[in-house]
Amino acid sequence: TVEQLKALSERTASQGGFFDIDRRLHDIEDQEAKTLDPGFWSDPSKAQSILKEIKLNKKWVENFRVIQDEMDELEILFEY
């Protein structure tokens, strides 16, 4: 129902840290800036770890946005 979707949206918004998309986007920017450092590949293990973290955060943000869009669509459908 619309009420359930709204309640879910409110819970998602109130979770703060775990669903903090802005923080994740900021982390992605910070990590990507590190990859531009000329010495980035001097420690291949650390470089791979950073790239893996970037990929994970990007995928997480992408999935979250897809779910959020689907919830918005459902809410619109229930209203009509």
Side-chain angles (χ1 to χ4, degrees):
T1 67
V2 175
E3 293 81 23
Q4 290 171 320
L5 283 172
K6 286 182 181 180
L8 181 59
S9 293
E10 289 171 4
R11 282 196 313 259
T12 301
S14 71
Q15 291 298 313
F18 186 74
F19 293 115
D20 191 352
I21 297 300
D22 291 333
R23 181 188 55 81
R24 287 184 186 266
L25 291 171
H26 180 69
D27 289 348
I28 291 168
E29 285 181 24
D30 285 348
Q31 298 292 33
E32 286 179 336
K34 291 178 183 178
T35 67
L36 302 176
D37 186 300
F40 178 70
W41 286 104
S42 63
D43 183 350
S45 177
K46 183 177 179 183
Q48 288 178 343
S49 175
I50 289 171
L51 292 174
K52 191 175 188 178
E53 185 176 340
I54 291 170
K55 183 178 178 181
L56 177 69
N57 277 326
K58 282 184 174 183
K59 189 65 176 171
W60 199 98
V61 169
E62 177 187 337
N63 288 339
F64 182 83
R65 286 183 173 159
V66 167
I67 292 169
Q68 193 172 31
D69 289 344
E70 294 294 326
M71 285 175 41
D72 291 343
E73 291 290 325
L74 282 172
E75 190 172 335
I76 290 168
L77 286 172
F78 276 126
E79 288 177 359
Y80 294 105

